[in-house]
Amino acid sequence: MEKKATERPRGLGNSMRVRNVQALSAKPSELTAEILESYIRPEMDDDCMVLGENTEAVPVIDMGRLMDEEFVEEEMDKLKVACEDWGFFQFVNHGIPEKVMEEMKANMKGFFELPLNEREKVAQQPGDLEGYGQAFVFSEKQKLDWADMLYIFTQPLHFRNFKHWPTQPPSFKESLNNYSVELQKVAHRILGFMARNLGINPEKITQLYGSQTVRINYYPPCPNAHDKVLGLTPHSDACGLTLLFQASQVAGLQIRKNGAWLPVNPLPDAFIVNIGDALEILTNGKYKSIEHRAVINAEKERMSIAALHSPSFGEMVGPLAEIVGDGKPLYKTLSLQDYAKLFFSRNLYRKSMIEQMKLDA
């Protein structure tokens, strides 16, 4: 095993600067057909959707029941099904104080209400993934997401670079710190319950997962072509576990289920949790990462914050020996540094990272 990283990760990747989408949305009269063409997705016309009263609901896992001896076994069974068959679930009664959630929500909203020149004080710089802008833009010819985002390393504490943390609103740093600490605790609890279902020592996984980044997303409305653009390209997350909190009750997240797109309707104050590629690899395919995307509303903005939990830098990404047992590993093993470089050097597309990590690839 590699020595644990004591310095911030560097040189993981880069993304080209492109037009600010929030600014484009604010002046639809200036949104020319030529500019809009960069965002139009022809494949949207062919996508199959799951709609109507018979729509399956993403599983809901209750932290209170997981902590209650009377209900824990039943809830653990539900968690097992959610991880093996869905890769997604909503997590309620998580125990994070309402004040922490509301302050994070208010500061997100406050940041995106700032003038563009103020927001761009934390803009991404060449050769750096952190900051305000867009990700996975490598070519002027590629299709772009109808969204802006703020990407920040939050855990461990010595990975933080405060030049990327907004100073406005004034309480942004404090609220993000409080939120990050609470989210790390919840993520480790969830990973611990997953480990019990997998038959391994919970500390084995929780000690591995010490890295956290947050991606704060702003999806402006697009009255011109909301049904032809995407806020987030279909993909699976490269991390191990993502906890998504919606700051507005505007639906937009969709997951690919049985070949069709299934809308996820967020419950109030719930986290939408999904398995990432690194956890699929660690479990040797027992748990599956799932493709998902974000669609755009014609009239209303949508904001969310995704906390992505990954193995610590210095750890390895690969199948866990205790899970593989006498079987064969299905995926390669890479250092987290090399794994991250591979991810950030590629276009965000479906489950391409998993395909690269398969041993028969």
Side-chain angles (χ1 to χ4, degrees):
M1 183 177 294
E2 294 185 3
K3 185 180 178 181
K4 295 287 182 67
T6 57
E7 296 184 1
R8 313 183 63 254
R10 302 176 187 275
L12 297 180
N14 196 9
S15 183
M16 292 176 58
R17 293 203 65 178
V18 293
R19 291 181 176 88
N20 184 272
V21 181
Q22 187 175 351
L24 288 175
S25 177
K27 296 180 179 179
S29 61
E30 298 179 13
L31 185 57
T32 65
E34 182 181 1
I35 294 174
L36 190 57
E37 182 61 29
S38 298
Y39 300 90
I40 297 294
R41 308 289 186 114
E43 67 271 19
M44 293 284 284
D45 294 333
D46 302 323
D47 280 343
C48 178
M49 292 291 299
V50 180
L51 301 170
E53 295 180 0
N54 296 323
T55 299
E56 288 185 273
V58 172
V60 178
I61 305 299
D62 189 326
M63 174 77 139
R65 290 172 66 89
L66 286 172
M67 303 295 289
D68 190 322
E69 290 185 4
E70 182 178 354
F71 302 108
V72 61
E73 293 305 321
E74 179 184 345
E75 206 67 13
M76 288 286 281
D77 287 342
K78 288 174 61 179
L79 178 62
K80 184 174 185 290
V81 171
C83 293
E84 292 182 353
D85 297 346
W86 283 83
F88 263 82
F89 56 89
Q90 300 207 53
F91 197 61
V92 299
N93 295 325
H94 42 71
I96 295 183
E98 182 180 1
K99 180 181 178 183
V100 173
M101 305 280 285
E102 290 301 316
E103 287 181 351
M104 189 69 253
K105 187 189 299 186
N107 277 277
M108 288 168 57
K109 190 172 185 294
F111 174 76
F112 290 115
E113 288 176 346
L114 294 171
L116 178 58
N117 64 341
E118 187 68 32
R119 279 179 272 136
E120 290 199 325
K121 287 181 178 179
V122 290
Q124 291 170 323
Q125 299 301 311
D128 200 344
L129 293 168
E130 285 190 88
Y132 178 59
Q134 288 84 20
F136 304 103
V137 182
F138 302 109
S139 166
E140 293 180 358
K141 296 180 180 180
Q142 76 181 72
K143 293 298 183 180
L144 302 174
D145 290 339
W146 189 260
D148 301 311
M149 64 104 190
L150 176 62
Y151 184 71
I152 300 175
F153 281 98
T154 45
Q155 298 288 346
L157 298 181
H158 64 272
F159 278 11
R160 296 180 176 183
N161 185 343
F162 286 107
K163 76 176 184 180
H164 301 298
W165 293 51
T167 57
Q168 296 295 327
S171 57
F172 188 98
K173 287 184 180 179
E174 182 181 4
S175 69
L176 180 55
N177 175 68
N178 294 339
Y179 182 82
S180 166
V181 170
E182 294 292 340
L183 256 290
Q184 187 95 331
K185 295 176 186 175
V186 172
H188 281 178
R189 290 192 190 109
I190 294 172
L191 287 166
F193 286 117
M194 289 179 176
R196 286 173 56 184
N197 269 338
L198 290 164
I200 60 177
N201 185 343
E203 290 187 3
K204 182 73 176 182
I205 290 185
T206 56
Q207 288 177 358
L208 280 174
Y209 277 75
S211 177
Q212 180 197 70
T213 57
V214 299
R215 175 176 168 141
I216 303 174
N217 306 298
Y218 183 86
Y219 303 103
C222 185
N224 310 60
H226 74 281
D227 57 346
K228 298 184 184 299
V229 302
L230 282 173
L232 190 57
T233 298
H235 71 289
S236 58
D237 291 345
C239 67
L241 195 71
T242 300
L243 276 67
L244 179 79
F245 174 52
Q246 285 220 167
S248 52
Q249 291 302 307
V250 177
L253 176 64
Q254 297 178 346
I255 67 172
R256 191 184 288 276
K257 179 73 170 170
N258 299 324
W261 289 106
L262 175 69
V264 179
N265 298 310
L267 299 172
D269 298 323
F271 287 107
I272 300 171
V273 181
N274 66 276
I275 305 293
D277 296 339
L279 199 53
E280 175 174 334
I281 293 166
L282 179 140
T283 64
N284 207 35
K286 286 189 175 182
Y287 292 174
K288 301 291 187 184
S289 62
I290 300 296
E291 267 186 77
H292 51 284
R293 69 181 188 181
V295 296
I296 298 300
N297 193 283
E299 300 174 351
K300 297 179 180 179
E301 67 183 12
R302 175 173 169 257
M303 286 179 283
S304 67
I305 176 170
L308 303 104
H309 298 86
S310 302
S312 302
F313 280 83
E315 298 288 0
M316 307 299 287
V317 177
L320 202 60
E322 293 94 320
I323 295 176
V324 175
D326 295 330
K328 294 182 178 180
L330 303 178
Y331 306 91
K332 303 169 187 174
T333 295
L334 295 178
S335 69
L336 193 280
Q337 188 90 357
D338 289 340
Y339 178 82
K341 285 181 179 178
L342 179 63
F343 175 68
F344 286 116
S345 67
R346 301 172 56 83
N347 286 333
L348 197 65
Y349 180 70
R350 304 190 69 173
K351 292 191 66 172
S352 59
M353 190 66 184
I354 283 292
E355 294 304 314
Q356 280 288 303
M357 289 294 290
K358 287 181 178 178
L359 279 173
D360 60 358

